Amino acid sequence: IIRMNHTSEIKLQVELDENRIPERILWEAPDGDVALQEAKAMFLAVWDHKAKEALRIDLWTKDMPLEEMKLFFYQTLHTMADTFYKATQDEKMTDTMRDFCEYFAEKMDIIKK
């Protein structure tokens, strides 16, 4: 039996100014039909199994608006709660995480109660 493996790539390109501060973030994911799209911020986390730790890259462009950064964090926190539930099926902790997301949004004036 011959097994054919498929490789999928996600590419990131970061354009820096003379002080090495991001000016543009571009990404593409051909399998997801994303062709060289611009982004103002990104969070990337990978799990290092041997060291048992998360390795991260957090980048944002120098023109990323503060209000958009707050919204980006809020949406990312919500996404993390959803992913946590998919990975663990732990409803109680997922609900706690979502409660924190709403608290965060209220304190950041993203949503009004």
Side-chain angles (χ1 to χ4, degrees), residues 11-56:
K11 294 182 181 180
L12 297 166
Q13 180 179 326
V14 181
E15 295 177 10
L16 306 172
D17 70 8
E18 63 278 357
N19 296 313
R20 303 185 56 83
I21 296 173
E23 287 191 313
R24 288 182 77 202
I25 300 169
L26 302 164
W27 69 287
E28 63 181 312
D31 283 357
D33 292 325
V34 177
L36 214 56
Q37 190 168 356
E38 189 167 354
K40 292 289 182 189
M42 63 165 274
F43 299 145
L44 174 66
V46 295
W47 182 247
D48 182 330
H49 175 72
K50 291 180 182 176
K52 302 286 191 248
E53 65 183 359
L55 306 175
R56 298 181 3 250

Side-chain angles (χ1 to χ4, degrees), residues 5-96:
N5 290 332
H6 177 78
T7 300
S8 181
E9 287 188 350
I10 299 169
K11 294 182 181 180
L12 297 166
Q13 180 179 326
V14 181
E15 295 177 10
L16 306 172
D17 70 8
E18 63 278 357
N19 296 313
R20 303 185 56 83
I21 296 173
E23 287 191 313
R24 288 182 77 202
I25 300 169
L26 302 164
W27 69 287
E28 63 181 312
D31 283 357
D33 292 325
V34 177
L36 214 56
Q37 190 168 356
E38 189 167 354
K40 292 289 182 189
M42 63 165 274
F43 299 145
L44 174 66
V46 295
W47 182 247
D48 182 330
H49 175 72
K50 291 180 182 176
K52 302 286 191 248
E53 65 183 359
L55 306 175
R56 298 181 3 250
I57 299 173
D58 304 328
L59 295 175
W60 56 93
T61 60
K62 57 185 174 183
D63 66 342
M64 173 73 170
L66 179 59
E67 291 306 312
E68 287 184 26
M69 182 61 95
K70 291 177 183 180
L71 186 57
F72 180 48
F73 265 84
Y74 171 69
Q75 291 178 1
T76 300
L77 290 168
H78 255 290
T79 301
M80 289 176 68
D82 295 342
T83 302
F84 180 80
Y85 180 74
K86 286 179 195 174
T88 66
Q89 300 296 301
D90 186 330
E91 288 183 37
K92 186 175 179 181
M93 186 51 67
T94 300
D95 288 343
T96 300

